[in-house]
Amino acid sequence: MTVLAQGADVGNPLLNISIFVLFVIVTMTIVIRASRTTKKASDFYTGGGQFSGPQNGFAIAGDYLSAASFLGIAGAIAIYGYDGFLYSIGFLVAWLVALLLVAELLRNTGRFTMADVLSFRLKQRPVRMAAALSTLAVSLFYLLAQMAGAGGLVALLLDIHGKAGQAVVVAIVGALMIAYVLIGGMKGTTYVQMVKAVLLIAGAAIMFFLVLFAVRGNFSTLLAQAQTAISGSSNAAVANTDILAPGAKYGISSMSKLDFISLGIALVLGTAGLPHVLMRFYTVPTAKEARRSVTWAIGLIGAFYLFTLVLGYGAAKMVGPDAILAAPGKENAAAPLLAFELGGTLFLAIISAVAFATILAVVAGLAITASASFAHDIYASVIKHGKASEEEQVRVSRITVVVIGIVSIVLGILAMGQNIAFLVALAFAVAASANLPTLLYSLFWKRFNTTGALFSIYGGLISCLALIVFSPAVSGSASSMFPGVDFSWFPLSNPGIVSIPLAFVLGIVGTYIGGRRAESAEKRAEMEVRSLTGVGVEKAVSH
C-alpha cells in the first residue's frame, strides 16, 4: 500500500511488457489464420455470416465490454460509489432496448452496415452519406476513449509518467489496431473478441471472488470498509464523499442532477444506435441466431457488470482513493491496482494484459465498422454510384483503416487522463442522437421519408457534437480536455437530454416538410416483410 501511495513502480515493468507481447503474438496468430479464409467483401466486413449465436454472443460481449467497462467503471465506483455504478446499470439496461427494438429487425433488413437499413426504402445516396458520417463520428468518439485508456494503463504498468511517453503508447496501440484489421478483417477481429471476452470475464470473476474472500463473503463489510477508506483520504473533497448514497458525483446542485439524468438517457438509448455493435448482427446466418447471440451477450455482460460493483468498492477499500488518483491514468488505474493488491506482480501483469487485449479488440471492431461504412456507403454507393467492385471496396476499406487509426491516435493523445467511462458515454450520446431515431422511424413508421431521415441524422449529430464542444467536458474545468481555456456555455457534461429528443422531433418535422412525397410503397412493404420474417435475406429462414 505504501508503494502505491507514493506513486512508485507498480509490479515489474519487464514482466508486464512480456505478457503484453505474448498476448499480441497469440492474437496476431489467430488473426493471420483467419485471414486465409477472407476472400470476399462479405468475409472482410461480416465474416461471411458464418458465426453461431453463442460465438457471436461472446464476440458481442467482447466488443461491448470495452476499456470503459473494466477500467473506467471500476474507477468511477471506487471514487464515487453509487453514482459510478450508474454506468454499469445504464450499459446493461441498454441491451434490452437493443434486443427488443432493433437486433433481429436490423439483421433481417441489411447486409453489411447500418446504412443498408436506413437507406432501404429511402433515397440511397443522401441517406447513406448521412448514416456513414454519423457512423464515423460515433466510431471516432469511441476510439478516442479506448486510446486514452490504453495510454493510462500502459503508463501505469511501465511507470511512464510523462505525457510524451504515454503518447508513444497510444501510437503503438493504434498501429496494432491497424494491423489486426488489415490482416484479419471481421473474421480475425471476431475471434480476437471471443478470446478477449472469455479472458476478461474470467479475470473479473477471479478478482470478484478474491475481494469477497477478503471480507469473508460479507458485502456489507466491504461497503463499510470502502467508506472508511474514502473518509480517510487526504483529499478533502474525496474524504467528504458518501459513496453509499447517490449524489457523490451528480448531486451537489440541480444542474448536476440534470447531468445525471442526461447521462442515464444516453447510456440506455445509445447501445441500440452503436454501429460497431449493430454490425455484429450481420455475422450470423439466421434471425434465430441473431436472437440467440443477444441472449448470450446479455448473460455475459450482466454477470460482468455485477462484478464491477464489487471490484469498485474493493479498490476503494484495498487500494484507497489517494493511491488511485495519484497513479497515471487516475481513476482508470483502480482495477489494475486492485489486481496488484490481490495477487501481486504476476496477477497484475495478467489482468493488465487482459485489459490491454480488451482495448485492442474493441478498437479493431470500431475500425472495421468505420472503414466498412466509408467504403461500402460513401465510396461504393455515393462516389461510384453502386458500380465499385468488391475488390475496390475492400481496398478502400483498408486505406480507410489506416487513416482512422492515425486520427484516433491524435485524438487519444488529447484525451489522456479523462475517465474513459465518461468518454464512452459521450459516444453513446452521439449514437443515440444521430442513429437511433432514424433507425426506429425507418423500421416502424410507414410515412417516414428521406427528408425526415436527413433532418434526424444531421440534426442529432450536429446538435450533439456542438453541445459537447461547448460543454465542461472540453473546456472550463480542471477535468476538461483543455483545462487552460474556457469556451463552454452549455452547462451539462453529457448532452443526451437535449440532443436525443431533438433528433426525434427533427425526424417528425423533416417528414412533414418532405410532404406526402412518399418513398417507394413496394420498397416499404418489402422492408416490413423482410424485417419481421427474414425472407429475402441471404441464408435467412422464416420463423
Side-chain angles (χ1 to χ4, degrees):
M1 188 72 159
T2 52
V3 174
L4 296 181
Q6 292 162 1
D9 292 355
V10 178
N12 183 328
L14 185 61
L15 178 64
N16 296 337
I17 200 76
S18 299
I19 294 183
F20 275 2
V21 171
L22 177 65
F23 191 90
V24 170
I25 290 170
V26 170
T27 50
M28 193 61 78
T29 303
I30 294 170
V31 166
I32 291 169
R33 287 177 65 87
S35 70
R36 294 172 187 166
T37 58
T38 299
K39 309 291 184 190
K40 308 190 295 290
S42 61
D43 293 330
F44 187 82
Y45 293 145
T46 63
Q50 296 171 355
F51 292 100
S52 69
Q55 282 180 320
N56 197 45
F58 272 94
I60 289 173
D63 220 344
Y64 193 66
L65 296 175
S66 65
S69 299
F70 187 49
L71 305 177
I73 293 176
I77 294 172
I79 303 300
Y80 303 112
Y82 186 100
D83 282 11
F85 191 52
L86 173 73
Y87 288 103
S88 292
I89 300 294
F91 286 148
L92 178 57
V93 171
W95 268 106
L96 297 177
V97 180
L99 174 63
L100 294 173
L101 293 180
V102 298
E104 183 182 341
L105 303 177
L106 194 81
R107 187 255 153 219
N108 287 345
T109 310
R111 285 190 65 211
F112 294 150
T113 66
M114 183 184 70
D116 287 339
V117 179
L118 298 184
S119 64
F120 192 94
R121 64 183 178 96
L122 308 176
K123 287 189 176 176
Q124 291 280 318
R125 293 180 70 200
V127 174
R128 279 191 183 277
M129 187 65 154
L133 289 175
S134 75
T135 295
L136 289 171
V138 175
S139 299
L140 279 174
F141 258 96
Y142 221 107
L143 278 168
L144 174 140
Q146 306 308 313
M147 294 297 198
L153 174 68
V154 182
L156 170 74
L157 300 172
L158 304 184
D159 197 33
I160 300 170
H161 288 270
K163 286 274 187 185
Q166 292 185 43
V168 171
V169 170
V170 170
I172 291 170
V173 172
L176 282 170
M177 167 193 82
I178 293 167
Y180 276 124
V181 179
L182 290 184
I183 295 168
M186 179 59 94
K187 278 191 179 178
T189 301
T190 299
Y191 285 123
V192 170
Q193 284 164 341
M194 283 191 276
V195 170
K196 166 244 153 161
V198 172
L199 291 174
L200 180 63
I201 294 169
I206 291 168
M207 292 174 69
F208 169 83
F209 287 115
L210 286 174
V211 170
L212 287 183
F213 182 75
V215 292
R216 299 184 179 181
N218 192 325
F219 187 60
S220 298
T221 300
L222 174 64
L223 296 179
Q225 292 179 353
Q227 181 61 66
T228 301
I230 289 288
S231 301
S233 170
S234 59
N235 184 323
V238 174
N240 292 326
T241 300
D242 181 359
I243 60 170
L244 305 183
K249 184 174 173 66
Y250 298 104
I252 301 165
S253 65
S254 57
M255 197 54 69
S256 293
K257 292 173 182 174
L258 199 60
D259 215 354
F260 185 78
I261 296 169
S262 186
L263 172 66
I265 293 171
L267 293 179
V268 169
L269 298 181
T271 297
L274 286 177
H276 70 291
V277 173
L278 298 177
M279 195 167 169
R280 291 236 59 91
F281 298 126
Y282 300 133
T283 65
V284 291
T286 65
K288 179 182 178 183
E289 292 300 311
R291 287 195 300 274
R292 286 183 71 203
S293 64
V294 179
T295 305
W296 272 85
I298 287 176
L300 294 166
I301 292 166
F304 178 85
Y305 283 132
L306 285 176
F307 296 157
T308 60
L309 183 63
V310 171
L311 299 187
Y313 282 118
K317 168 193 178 298
M318 303 178 80
V319 180
D322 294 346
I324 292 169
L325 295 174
K330 298 181 181 175
E331 293 164 33
N332 304 324
L337 292 177
L338 176 62
F340 183 66
E341 285 290 332
L342 290 170
T345 305
L346 180 61
F347 192 51
L348 166 71
I350 293 169
I351 290 297
S352 300
V354 170
F356 190 64
T358 294
I359 292 167
L360 278 176
V362 172
V363 295
L366 286 163
I368 200 164
T369 301
S371 65
S373 187
F374 181 85
H376 181 63
D377 299 320
I378 296 179
Y379 177 77
S381 299
V382 177
I383 297 174
K384 288 288 188 176
H385 300 275
K387 295 177 182 176
S389 67
E390 288 199 346
E391 291 76 16
E392 283 181 300
Q393 286 187 54
V394 173
R395 187 176 70 251
V396 170
S397 187
R398 292 181 191 275
I399 295 168
T400 309
V401 168
V402 177
V403 175
I404 288 167
I406 293 168
V407 173
S408 62
I409 287 167
V410 174
L411 293 175
I413 290 168
L414 287 174
M416 287 187 307
Q418 295 271 317
N419 182 296
I420 45 184
F422 165 72
L423 291 174
V424 166
L426 294 182
F428 272 59
V430 177
S433 303
N435 298 338
L436 183 62
T438 319
L439 266 175
L440 294 180
Y441 287 150
S442 293
L443 290 168
F444 298 112
W445 188 17
K446 289 184 178 181
R447 185 169 179 172
F448 191 56
N449 58 30
T450 301
T451 310
L454 297 179
F455 268 52
S456 183
I457 294 173
Y458 284 126
L461 181 63
I462 292 168
S463 64
C464 189
L465 292 179
L467 293 177
I468 288 172
V469 168
F470 295 108
S471 76
V474 174
S475 71
S477 73
S479 59
S480 299
M481 268 187 214
F482 302 104
V485 292
D486 185 2
F487 48 83
S488 65
W489 51 262
F490 183 67
L492 305 180
S493 295
N494 193 297
I497 198 169
V498 174
S499 59
I500 297 170
L502 179 64
F504 275 102
V505 171
L506 285 172
I508 297 170
V509 170
T511 298
Y512 282 98
I513 287 177
R516 285 211 166 272
R517 191 198 62 203
E519 315 299 339
S520 166
E522 292 79 11
K523 274 286 184 187
R524 188 181 69 217
E526 182 188 347
M527 181 175 180
E528 186 174 6
V529 171
R530 191 156 144 172
S531 65
L532 293 174
T533 66
V535 171
V537 190
E538 293 174 297
K539 300 184 188 176
V541 294
S542 179
H543 297 288

